[in-house]
Amino acid sequence: MKRITILIADDEMAIADLIGLHLTKEGYHVIKAADGQEAIQAVQTHSIDLAILDIMMPKVDGYEVTRQIRETNHMPIIFLSAKTSDMDKIAGLVRGADDYMTKPFNPMELIARVNAQLRRSRLLSQSSEENRPVLETGGLAIYPDQRTVTLYSEPVDLTPKEFDILYLLASYPKKVFSAENIFQQVWGEDYYEGGNTVMVHIRKLRKKLQEDERKHKLIKTVWGVGYTFNG
């Protein structure tokens, strides 16, 4: 059985060593990077299953590392940051992270979040093997097995969370999902002030789907309730 490999990218080596110690005790294989450039090289040369990234790193920051990872890989990414405001957390999630923890943090909570993200990733991988049908409507085509989307045959570049939200809504057309429903099903976590996070993702998703130019909106807001796919 393949051993799970986790990348820790943080220029504070004491923190990286602490996280690595706990992950190794859990049975994971750990690779460490001291800056963003080393993190990118590690992803290119190793089979990484999950990445823990500090945001403020030398050479290349965590946001850019995430952008480059997301060009080819859907591995779970957890941000670590000293930035603690809600807007900082939302910005991290919107940029492609799956979770966000602020420093200082409890190492055991981080391990629990790593385990949760890996479980969710395995479930998504298993479900993708079921040959789910392509969803098509109004020039939009969603390919769940490949996790890709096209609009009038042109590819649409979505983050993993944007894809998950779109696929969830499109799988149940006309059903109204509250922000809480979406957060719980897409992020796989209990809802705690996740409404703004969902709203920001929906806004970016609408922009990428060129909703402003459409008379027939694909994603409809049901005021006071939530969102529905209007396919």
Side-chain angles (χ1 to χ4, degrees):
M1 183 176 178
K2 175 182 176 294
R3 193 178 182 191
I4 293 174
T5 298
I6 297 178
L7 170 65
I8 306 169
D10 197 313
D11 59 315
E12 296 183 68
M13 292 313 297
I15 291 178
D17 289 344
L18 176 64
I19 297 171
L21 178 64
H22 284 277
L23 288 173
T24 301
K25 286 182 178 179
E26 288 287 309
Y28 297 123
H29 177 234
V30 171
I31 294 175
K32 299 174 188 175
D35 58 57
Q37 189 60 52
E38 286 187 15
I40 292 169
Q41 291 172 351
V43 171
Q44 293 172 342
T45 56
H46 297 84
S47 177
I48 307 293
D49 297 288
L50 180 145
I52 300 171
L53 306 179
D54 184 26
I55 293 179
M56 304 304 293
M57 289 188 288
K59 298 184 180 179
V60 182
D61 66 23
Y63 292 140
E64 177 60 18
V65 174
T66 298
R67 188 192 68 78
Q68 294 197 35
I69 289 175
R70 287 293 180 244
E71 290 181 351
T72 57
N73 198 300
H74 296 292
M75 74 174 73
I77 295 174
I78 299 175
F79 274 160
L80 291 179
S81 178
K83 298 181 177 181
T84 60
S85 76
D86 288 342
M87 290 309 300
D88 288 324
K89 294 177 183 178
I90 291 170
L93 295 170
V94 167
R95 300 249 190 155
D98 297 279
D99 203 350
Y100 187 111
M101 287 196 70
T102 57
K103 299 177 181 179
F105 58 91
N106 183 326
M108 297 311 298
E109 181 183 354
L110 176 59
I111 300 304
R113 294 190 182 212
V114 165
N115 292 337
Q117 289 297 332
L118 289 171
R119 282 196 302 271
R120 181 174 178 277
S121 180
R122 283 195 294 269
L123 288 173
L124 287 174
S125 177
Q126 291 168 4
S127 64
S128 70
E129 297 173 358
E130 297 173 358
N131 295 317
R132 294 172 292 178
V134 177
L135 303 179
E136 297 183 86
T137 183
L140 179 72
I142 305 171
Y143 301 87
D145 291 348
Q146 295 78 27
R147 292 182 62 81
T148 58
V149 173
T150 61
L151 185 63
Y152 300 113
S153 301
E154 293 295 324
V156 181
D157 184 21
L158 300 182
T159 67
K161 287 295 185 286
E162 289 167 353
F163 179 89
D164 290 342
I165 291 171
L166 178 61
Y167 184 71
L168 173 66
L169 296 177
S171 296
Y172 302 92
K174 308 301 181 182
K175 178 178 177 178
V176 180
F177 288 85
S178 68
E180 180 177 358
N181 293 152
I182 294 171
F183 190 84
Q184 289 175 335
Q185 294 198 47
V186 171
W187 275 266
E189 298 178 10
D190 290 335
Y191 182 79
Y192 54 98
E193 298 181 0
N196 285 339
T197 302
V198 172
M199 181 181 67
V200 171
H201 278 75
I202 291 283
R203 184 169 68 237
K204 288 182 173 290
L205 182 56
R206 282 172 165 159
K207 183 177 181 180
K208 292 180 179 181
L209 296 179
Q210 302 174 16
E211 291 283 78
D212 290 344
E213 302 171 18
R214 287 176 171 270
K215 290 183 179 179
H216 179 79
K217 308 295 184 185
L218 290 174
I219 300 176
K220 181 181 178 182
T221 299
V222 181
W223 295 108
V225 183
Y227 305 94
T228 186
F229 190 79
N230 196 31

